Amino acid sequence: METLRIAVQKSGRLQENSLNLLKESGLHFNNGNGRLKTQAENFPVELLFLRDDDIPQYIEDSVADTGIVGANVFVEKQKQNELILPLGFAKCRLSIAVPRYENYRDTYWLQGKNIATSYPNIVKTFLKKNNIEAGIHEISGSVEIAPGIGLADAVCDIVSSGSTLVSNGLKEVETVLESEAVLIASTKLSSTKKQILDELIFRLQAVQKAKDNKYILMNCPNVAIEAITKIIPGMKSPTILPLKKEGWSSLHSVVDENDFWKKINQLKSLGAEGILVVPIEKMIV
Ligand code: ATP
Ligand code: ZN
């Protein structure tokens, strides 16, 4: 029996969320602290623990079949990898930053300057798109100190809150790429491996969908059922159960996490009471 080899980050920001997502998808494995690989107990899957930056190359070389990396790494490496599914965590952006005191107006400021970055390919593409010629100085860590020590005029680096930039006297001036963790895969999987991957994708999507939604229960006057159904139609339609109290029902549905608070207010104004909201573990539509 073939197994699908999934590469996850050996240590770092992606690791915990990657492993949790696989566990929530029903894969059982021991974390294999410090080990190079571990076999799932109940699914034809093997996990490989690798440096995130190396994962696209390992997938291209068919050492791994699929893996979880930041979109920034996937785009930068330009390997023979296919983007399968965005995973919704490790959200960050790749931005250009310049010294705070610079009077930056638009990308033309970068013309003829030197940009320090760990993402030369992404920066090259960005400069080309903006018709700018600039030098790229590739460094692998602590990019944000480059302007301060006179190594470059600007940087292109990962930003989440921006506090690292500020503490190095820099300001963010352009977003080059929005990133989050993504599932990527080899473009040349056997049909058996493809089947295992499809099953995994199905499960990951069920977990994601569940996270984006909540199960909602409430008591409502029967006259409000139609209006409430319009607000929270659920997967097919709400479930209605009669209450013992004349003229009232219990209504169950599913609501999107994002417009949850807005909808709660609408439901209350229609007379809904005793509203309960509970998490969903898996959701298959
Ligand atoms: P190394 O390879 O040396 O372990 P790294 O920067 O590649 O360092 P991490 O810091 O663990 O490793 O980052 C892994 C990925 O997490 C990045 O490629 C990026 O997609 C994402 N990421 C990085 N910084 C942040 C952040 N501040 N907030 C959210 N996601 C981030
Ligand atoms: Zn890395």
Side-chain angles (χ1 to χ4, degrees):
M1 179 68 186
E2 279 186 289
T3 55
L4 186 76
R5 283 163 304 183
I6 309 176
V8 295
Q9 194 185 23
K10 188 171 57 182
S11 68
R13 282 171 202 277
L14 298 172
Q15 198 205 34
E16 194 184 342
N17 281 321
S18 302
L19 293 178
N20 283 344
L21 198 53
L22 295 172
K23 282 179 189 161
E24 286 164 353
S25 304
L27 275 59
H28 294 173
F29 42 80
N30 29 23
N31 265 8
N33 273 343
R35 276 197 288 165
L36 180 64
K37 53 185 186 175
T38 184
Q39 177 85 41
E41 290 157 18
N42 58 343
F43 201 64
V45 152
E46 190 173 40
L47 296 189
L48 303 183
F49 297 98
L50 300 169
R51 263 199 76 205
D52 62 340
D53 312 66
D54 297 336
I55 290 175
Q57 181 70 55
Y58 279 118
I59 292 177
E60 180 174 298
D61 295 342
S62 297
V63 174
D65 301 309
T66 178
I68 298 176
V69 294
N72 51 310
V73 168
F74 164 67
V75 176
E76 173 63 26
K77 297 298 178 183
Q78 304 184 351
K79 299 295 176 192
Q80 270 192 39
N81 297 168
E82 194 176 355
L83 176 65
I84 304 291
L85 189 68
L87 298 174
F89 62 88
K91 290 197 173 167
C92 58
R93 56 195 186 275
L94 208 55
S95 292
I96 305 254
V98 304
R100 201 172 36 213
Y101 54 79
E102 291 290 348
N103 181 19
Y104 183 99
R105 297 247 289 284
D106 54 35
T107 51
Y108 190 71
W109 185 93
L110 297 166
Q111 181 68 32
K113 298 280 198 328
N114 249 314
I115 306 169
T117 187
S118 309
Y119 297 89
N121 290 323
I122 294 175
V123 175
K124 235 174 265 171
T125 307
F126 174 81
L127 292 174
K128 200 162 176 196
K129 206 178 74 195
N130 287 282
N131 274 319
I132 302 289
E133 290 199 20
I136 296 173
H137 196 101
E138 186 177 351
I139 43 181
S140 59
S142 303
V143 171
E144 65 284 352
I145 65 166
I149 59 172
L151 195 63
D153 306 297
V155 302
C156 179
D157 203 6
I158 300 261
V159 181
S160 61
S161 71
S163 59
T164 310
L165 293 181
V166 171
S167 63
N168 283 282
L170 301 173
K171 62 180 175 186
E172 191 178 353
V173 292
E174 304 282 346
T175 304
V176 175
L177 181 85
E178 300 276 358
S179 182
E180 66 184 278
V182 292
L183 183 73
I184 57 173
S186 162
T187 51
K188 39 196 181 197
L189 293 180
S190 70
S191 65
T192 309
K193 289 191 177 191
K194 227 180 230 142
Q195 267 173 27
I196 306 170
L197 180 62
D198 283 343
E199 173 65 24
L200 179 68
I201 294 167
F202 173 73
R203 293 183 182 198
L204 288 170
Q205 284 173 325
V207 171
Q208 276 183 323
K209 201 123 194 84
K211 282 188 183 159
D212 293 342
N213 289 277
K214 295 274 182 271
Y215 192 70
I216 181 166
L217 309 80
M218 72 203 71
N219 295 327
C220 65
N222 289 344
V223 291
I225 289 175
E226 282 310 312
I228 291 177
T229 301
K230 289 210 175 78
I231 298 169
I232 43 169
M235 303 224 285
K236 196 174 291 295
S237 78
T239 304
I240 313 288
L241 302 166
L243 290 192
K244 190 147 190 332
K245 187 176 164 69
E246 194 70 32
W248 281 74
S249 295
S250 168
L251 184 148
H252 302 194
S253 190
V254 167
V255 62
D256 187 318
E257 166 93 333
N258 292 318
D259 36 37
F260 170 73
W261 289 111
K262 197 176 77 204
K263 294 201 166 170
I264 291 291
N265 286 328
Q266 292 175 325
L267 297 173
K268 274 166 55 187
S269 65
L270 284 166
E273 293 175 0
I275 302 173
L276 301 179
V277 177
V278 289
I280 301 170
E281 190 172 312
K282 308 279 189 298
M283 183 162 156
I284 292 125
V285 291

